[in-house]
Amino acid sequence: MRIEDLDTPFLAVDAGVLERNLTDGADRARRRGLAWRPHAKTHKCVAVARRQLAHGATGLTLATVGEAEVFAAAGVDDLFLAYPVWAAGGRADRLRALAGRVRLRIGVDSAAGADRLAAALRGAPAQVLIEIDSGHHRTGVAPGDAGGLAAGAQAAGLEVAGVFTFPGHAYAPGARATAAADEIAALSAAAAGLAAAGIEPLVRSGGSSPTENLSPELPDRWAPTETRPGVSVFGDAQQVELDAAGFDRCALTAVATVVHARPGHAVLDAGSKTLGADRAPWASGHGRLPEHPGARVTALSEHHATVAFGDGDGPVPEPGSRVRVLPNHVCTAVNLADHLVVVDGGETVVDRWPVDARGANT
């Protein structure tokens, strides 16, 4: 089957670019002496996860218990919930069951959360990592508070294995290097705090796609042990605008049809229900077109994407033409799709992969 035989819009994955991204991601971690634990919330796809594991991933990072259940059922046996899970109600029972099936680590960032998690697990074999705020100011405790929280979690009956952080403030123009340095410093300080409290910080986990290509000077002691990039498996328009990836590293695009054209503009059939609606304040549009680098998706409706073309982008594609669109945030686009169409780099469809954990948000 060829791409032209499929009705648009759909998400297509270039198998060759994906393979290169997997190889390079694993090699980067290996060169830095880090365990590679990619975040599967980006792809939510067992077929991609199996390829990551085959390339040397030590396990997967996940955001929800539901995602963890999907990948555990597929045979992935080493999972980290990089989230301060509130273990109440049915979620508590699900966590305990999951801990009995796989090697499980769970994020903690408060004494109340630690107490709740300890009650939910009731001695089930799981470890916890203390979440550190390294500058993103979303969740996590200050590095200096990590030792006290770890001691409290241990007193509640939890096995504390170390610390983790997400340098999400790298998602801003010009912020990547600073965020990477902040991440290293925060993990080192937090690990020292655990050690001072008598808890060995065996795991020091960080990483993000914008900082993955950076290698700040590592401290002599308490350097990171693990990296958890997510988006870099596919790439997206945000990574391009942050100079974290080029168009040639973007494995996933939405294939759309031009349904309307006028001077300087085209309207596509891939709207927010295909591309997702994420747009950071600094983003130059709602998406990018790799074959027309100067073009921008300037407006989104549910089933329409309006694209503005510059003078250097060539003629506006005619109605009926097909174009490829990079979503701003690939994770949200994938979560809207039932399957990913795998292509050979040209026009031939070689496989379809279900988005197995689509909607597994609890």
Side-chain angles (χ1 to χ4, degrees), residues 47 51 340-343 348-353:
R51 283 161 174 78
L340 307 176
V341 176
V342 187
V343 298
T348 303
V349 177
V350 296
D351 210 344
R352 291 188 188 220
W353 294 339

Side-chain angles (χ1 to χ4, degrees), residues 18 48 170 201:
L18 173 62
V48 176

Side-chain angles (χ1 to χ4, degrees), residues 173-187:
R176 294 169 57 218
T178 298
D182 290 345
E183 170 195 355
I184 300 299
L187 285 175

